Amino acid sequence: MWKRVLIMACVAVCTACGSTQGGNAPGSSGSTSTPAPTAVNLAPFPAAVLKACKGVNTTTPLSKVPSACQTLWTPYGVSDVPPMNLFDHLPQVPNVTNNTNGTISNSTARSWSVALFRGQALWQWAERYDQVAFFQRIASPSELPQSEATLLGSGISIVDPNCDLFASSLKLEPISAADASFFEVISGMTTTAKYAFVATLDAPSNGNCVTYGIDQSGKKSDYFSFSSPVVLLEAGHFRRDSVLGVIWNSDADTNCNVAANSSLVTPPPGWCN
């Protein structure tokens, strides 16, 4: 997730530079949008996880959670367990423009967008608590650049704000063979996905969207920032995990700024405009 999805230029940093990390009815002429919900809770963890991890209301060392909870989370490579209310009070998922020409229903597109936001929440948590091994559970291994893994592994956690993770608008696009080739050329990532989210991130109205690192002494250093809207392109798959719940498992991503500066390929029509 969107994962969110961190591909931006670094501006001033700690020790290394990282990257981040979304239909028409047959015969119709325009795309359709799925309705936005009124609730902000993006669905809790699966019932079995909530039962096993009852009382885990803050990020807690794996060794200190109930044994049944440990059993569930140990295979995920975590040293800490996320709070069971992790998905509460996140930004509302926006309407999704479904450009799949009816191949994917609006309700399914809606479910996938919720999965995308849930994955982004898990990504945000993993950055904040240095859970390097956990990233491979929510995205392709290539999604977390070595530079960022090194930064996290050195004891510097990353505080990634909502503006860098949770899109203000979403489009769901089908991926053709040519589109898959675009991802490979522009990002070096091979995707087998059939669909991609086009996600627009907005900076706050009063300034920049700033991601920063915190070292073990509590010292903060800007990691990167942006002040104008950024459009991310994220290929992936909907996945239902027995512990994590539904997530959008990304396997390739880039953004429209990177695509605009490439002399090798151009983004699929309509994705970046």
Side-chain angles (χ1 to χ4, degrees), residues 38-259:
T38 55
V40 294
N41 187 310
L42 297 186
F45 284 100
V49 180
L50 293 176
K51 180 179 179 180
C53 301
K54 184 177 181 180
V56 181
N57 299 319
T58 61
T59 294
T60 304
L62 181 66
S63 61
K64 294 185 178 181
V65 301
S67 58
C69 186
Q70 288 184 33
T71 298
L72 290 175
W73 283 96
T74 295
Y76 288 74
V78 297
S79 59
D80 297 292
V81 173
M84 293 298 98
N85 62 355
L86 181 69
F87 304 115
D88 292 357
H89 311 302
L90 291 176
Q92 183 169 294
V93 182
N95 292 338
V96 184
T97 300
N98 183 356
N99 290 331
T100 66
N101 199 35
T103 305
I104 298 299
S105 70
N106 283 345
S107 61
T108 296
R110 175 69 204 165
S111 297
W112 289 3
S113 66
V114 170
L116 175 68
F117 267 46
R118 293 179 86 262
Q120 295 296 77
L122 289 164
W123 185 284
Q124 185 180 46
W125 173 82
E127 286 186 306
R128 182 65 183 85
Y129 292 94
D130 303 332
Q131 302 297 310
V132 178
F134 178 68
F135 286 100
Q136 64 183 333
R137 286 288 187 162
I138 54 177
S140 166
S142 60
E143 290 284 298
L144 182 69
Q146 185 57 50
S147 57
E148 186 166 340
T150 300
L151 193 67
L152 292 168
S154 71
I156 296 175
S157 60
I158 296 174
V159 178
D160 208 351
N162 286 356
C163 54
D164 185 52
L165 292 164
F166 300 102
S168 60
S169 68
L170 289 170
K171 295 190 294 185
L172 182 67
E173 304 282 355
I175 297 178
S176 67
D179 301 337
S181 177
F182 158 78
F183 275 107
E184 185 168 4
V185 171
I186 201 74
S187 68
M189 302 177 190
T190 301
T191 180
T192 59
K194 300 300 182 184
Y195 299 95
F197 275 109
V198 177
T200 300
L201 301 175
D202 291 323
S205 58
N206 60 347
N208 293 345
C209 181
V210 181
T211 297
Y212 59 90
I214 303 180
D215 67 18
Q216 294 177 339
S217 71
K219 181 182 177 181
K220 297 180 181 180
S221 300
D222 286 356
Y223 188 42
F224 57 73
S225 67
F226 64 91
S227 58
S228 300
V230 174
V231 180
L232 299 176
L233 313 175
E234 184 164 352
H237 314 262
F238 174 85
R239 183 164 67 85
R240 191 179 300 275
D241 185 275
S242 61
V243 170
L244 305 180
V246 296
I247 60 171
W248 181 258
N249 202 117
S250 175
D251 64 3
D253 64 33
T254 186
N255 69 56
C256 288
N257 290 342
V258 171

